[in-house]
Amino acid sequence: MTSVVTAGGTSVTIRGVVVDESEAVLNRLVSDGVPRSLASGNAKLWGPDAAPEAARRLGWLRLPESSRPLVGRLAELTGRARGAGLDRVVLAGTDGSTVAAEAVARSSGAPLTVLDTTDPHRVAAVLADRPDRTLVVLSVKQETVGTDALRRVFEEALRAAGVPDRELARRFVVLADLGTPVADLAEKAGYPVVPGAPDTGGRFAALSAFGLAPAALAGADVTLLLDAAAALLPALQQPYDNPALALGAALGASALGGRDKLVLADQGSGLPGLADWVEQVVAESTGKDGKGVLPVVVEGVAAPGFALTGDMRRVILGSRPDEPGPAREAGVSVAGPLGAQFLLWQYAVAVAGRVLGVNPFDQPEVRESEDNTAALLRSAEGEAPTVIHGAPAVVDDAVEVHGPAELFRGVQGLSDAMDRLVERVPEHGYLAVMAYLDPVGDAGAAEARALLAARAARLRRQPPPVTFGWGPRLLHTTGQYHKGGRQNGAFLQITGETTTDLPVPGRPYTLGQLQLAQAFGDLRALRARGRPAVRLHLRDRAAGVEQLRSALA
């Protein structure tokens, strides 16, 4: 059986048993009047405890129209920047608001440099590239120590490149909610501030200034995104011809039925970066109170980890319902333009939150890792912080393995250590790889996801899914699920020695120390929950990445 729901140029196709599984949930949502209530902004849909938060977080439903005035403002700022010879746009921010902007830029072909890391190697490379032509877009939906550090480093670097203080204001555009400390600071410095939507949370802000402005300043036509979202908007009130409601019912029904791993593969969507954004909105919205849907982004339908298992729901991004091949075997496929997909998935996770009984608009565990980082950075009398390094359980050439001694007793090297970790993943659990490295210079580390998934398939009768994320970005994507969702994960964190470091002006620490504190703060939160958590430290990054790939292969 196949169900195809289409509206506004967007389609959701549901196949096989998923149709039957989601039918009862869909009918209950319709009988409860959820479509019309949600479209009208009813904050009581998620229960009385969630209502106060939801009442302040439903502005995303109006963004396809309320963001229209931004277009003129962004065109004005773009013209001013080009007139000043600033044609290289860098988006700086570590709070998760960069994920949507990156998807917009990549899908439209806009040349946007995204810097959502505190890794000193990556930051140094971005600073060295055409500083005389650089416009910095500082994105601060949630104020974090990482974004504060990037602002300070960029200001100092531009001054060092010869930009006088009176000209510094022309080099920055700040995205922030009005009335926040960062917006006040920017206004005092004379930086243009493009306000966000204060009644919209960060992961629901894709169609606000946070998602649109960086790509627009880099040359993208964001009107197309708003038009695509507006075309879908009328369908959100409908009970049955509503693709977002059908998707939300399928997600919620799957999780209730034990298929709480949402494995995402792109197949010709033409929207690079969409899967990463879906990962964020699903994980951070549903992963709490010991419940949730874990998104697992894989490299394609032929990648290790896409084979169907008993606790997995597979979703294809881009396939049309009449296409042959893996799309016909997937439970769900979604197709449509990017602006409409933003709105579709936001609505769907809001519906799934109601089905699962969680508040999709809060993120209670995200703050925990930030607080741990701050505690590690806190120091007396302005001295640099000290992060205490423990003795490794295993040393294999360029890689140190840090973890419980009993886990690695008798282990001979890195390959054996990885087998031990895979074997420790709980039944019906998952393995998360978290790399606090340079996402460009150390890009090969991302291959660990597919290699570990293939290895797990050889070692386990029902292999666990494997996720991958770059830190600290992952703190605001899957990080909420890791700590607030079902406690059945195992974790592999990767850190690396820094050969290039940068001081953070006005702070008693460097970017390298900050990055390590972020990694340790996250690891502390995971271990506090009793989860298996192992850290690999690369004493030489290039050699360590290559050694890890070789050991896993």
Side-chain angles (χ1 to χ4, degrees):
M1 182 182 297
T2 299
S3 170
V4 182
V5 186
T6 302
T10 301
S11 69
V12 172
T13 303
I14 303 174
R15 298 177 178 82
V17 296
V18 191
V19 178
D20 295 332
E21 290 174 358
S22 60
E23 184 177 12
V25 171
L26 180 61
N27 289 339
R28 179 60 184 269
L29 291 168
V30 171
S31 66
D32 288 348
V34 169
R36 190 169 295 278
S37 292
L38 179 52
S40 64
N42 183 352
K44 298 179 181 178
L45 285 171
W46 300 274
D49 292 340
E53 178 79 19
R56 300 183 292 110
R57 291 291 181 258
L58 289 168
W60 54 274
L61 289 159
R62 298 183 294 275
L63 288 176
E65 300 302 335
S66 62
S67 287
R68 299 279 176 177
L70 277 175
V71 176
R73 171 65 168 152
L74 295 174
E76 174 191 340
L77 290 172
T78 302
R80 185 185 305 174
R82 298 298 184 273
L86 305 178
D87 57 1
R88 175 180 179 253
V89 180
V90 174
L91 171 60
T94 64
D95 64 358
S97 61
T98 60
V99 185
E102 183 175 37
V104 174
R106 292 181 64 190
S107 296
S108 62
L112 178 68
T113 298
V114 177
L115 185 65
D116 57 359
T117 179
T118 52
D119 184 85
H121 297 84
R122 179 61 184 148
V123 176
V126 172
L127 293 175
D129 185 10
R130 294 166 287 166
D132 57 318
R133 295 162 54 185
T134 294
L135 175 71
V136 181
V137 181
L138 192 69
S139 180
V140 192
K141 184 64 176 176
Q142 291 177 270
E143 294 184 63
T144 67
V145 65
T147 302
D148 172 75
L150 291 181
R151 175 185 63 80
R152 292 170 179 271
V153 168
F154 266 102
E155 287 176 340
E156 183 65 23
L158 289 173
R159 289 189 181 102
V163 179
D165 283 351
R166 66 179 181 277
E167 298 291 330
L168 206 58
R170 299 169 61 182
R171 296 301 197 96
F172 284 88
V173 173
V174 176
L175 312 178
D177 293 335
L178 295 180
T180 59
V182 71
D184 294 342
L185 184 151
E187 288 174 346
K188 288 178 183 177
Y191 300 163
V193 176
V194 181
D199 56 354
T200 301
R203 61 190 172 281
F204 285 82
L207 294 170
S208 76
F210 291 97
L212 302 179
L217 290 165
D221 182 357
V222 297
T223 303
L224 298 176
L225 278 89
L226 296 174
D227 289 345
L232 179 64
L233 201 55
L236 301 187
Q237 301 187 44
Q238 304 303 317
Y240 290 109
D241 294 328
N242 183 340
L245 185 69
L247 178 59
L251 296 180
S254 294
L256 287 179
R259 293 185 179 270
D260 59 351
K261 317 295 193 306
L262 190 72
V263 183
L264 298 152
D266 192 287
Q267 183 171 318
S269 74
L271 304 174
L274 173 61
D276 291 336
W277 177 81
V278 172
E279 176 187 50
Q280 179 194 35
V281 76
V282 170
E284 203 172 13
S285 298
T286 68
K288 56 202 78 172
D289 301 330
K291 309 172 187 177
V293 178
L294 174 71
V296 182
V297 178
V298 302
E299 297 77 12
V301 296
F306 194 67
L308 190 62
T309 64
D311 56 357
M312 174 192 297
R313 176 65 67 223
R314 297 190 295 186
V315 175
I316 297 260
L317 300 176
S319 290
R320 301 298 301 183
D322 55 347
E323 289 185 347
R328 288 197 176 277
E329 301 171 10
V332 180
S333 59
V334 182
L338 184 61
Q341 294 240 27
F342 282 153
L343 189 59
L344 174 98
W345 282 96
Q346 289 165 347
Y347 186 105
V349 298
V351 168
R354 176 182 168 86
V355 173
L356 295 174
V358 299
N359 176 4
F361 305 111
D362 65 352
Q363 50 278 328
E365 278 75 32
V366 167
R367 191 72 238 172
E368 183 179 352
S369 290
E370 284 283 327
D371 291 343
N372 285 346
T373 298
L376 288 167
L377 292 173
R378 202 171 292 126
S379 58
E381 299 179 2
E383 294 180 358
T386 300
V387 177
I388 299 174
H389 299 265
V394 178
V395 178
D396 188 346
D397 292 337
V399 181
E400 297 176 352
V401 182
H402 295 259
E406 63 273 15
L407 176 61
F408 298 114
R409 189 168 290 117
V411 163
Q412 298 301 310
L414 180 58
S415 181
D416 286 349
M418 294 300 93
D419 285 350
R420 288 283 180 92
L421 179 61
V422 170
E423 290 164 357
R424 279 292 301 274
V425 178
E427 189 175 1
H428 304 300
Y430 67 96
L431 174 61
V433 184
M434 308 173 298
Y436 284 79
L437 298 169
D438 177 353
V440 175
D442 304 319
E447 295 179 28
R449 195 220 68 81
L451 292 170
L452 275 166
R455 199 175 188 91
R458 296 193 296 270
L459 293 172
R460 302 277 295 261
R461 184 179 60 82
Q462 181 170 312
V466 181
T467 71
F468 180 88
W470 295 104
R473 170 173 168 162
L474 65 88
L475 298 177
H476 298 268
T477 55
T478 51
Q480 168 62 42
Y481 184 95
H482 294 335
K483 293 177 275 292
R486 290 188 64 191
Q487 294 303 293
N488 59 357
F491 303 92
L492 176 64
Q493 187 183 86
I494 310 174
T495 58
E497 205 66 28
T498 57
T499 57
T500 298
D501 207 351
L502 296 170
V504 179
R507 295 287 187 256
Y509 48 80
T510 65
L511 283 181
Q513 291 168 328
L514 169 57
Q515 182 187 38
L516 201 57
Q518 289 172 317
F520 276 43
D522 194 29
L523 201 61
R524 176 181 291 180
L526 296 170
R527 287 177 172 166
R529 288 163 170 79
R531 306 315 311 147
V534 172
R535 182 173 70 95
L536 302 184
H537 185 71
L538 312 183
R539 300 195 287 187
D540 178 290
R541 291 195 181 199
V545 167
E546 186 56 40
Q547 185 181 339
L548 177 61
R549 290 158 65 185
S550 177
L552 293 176

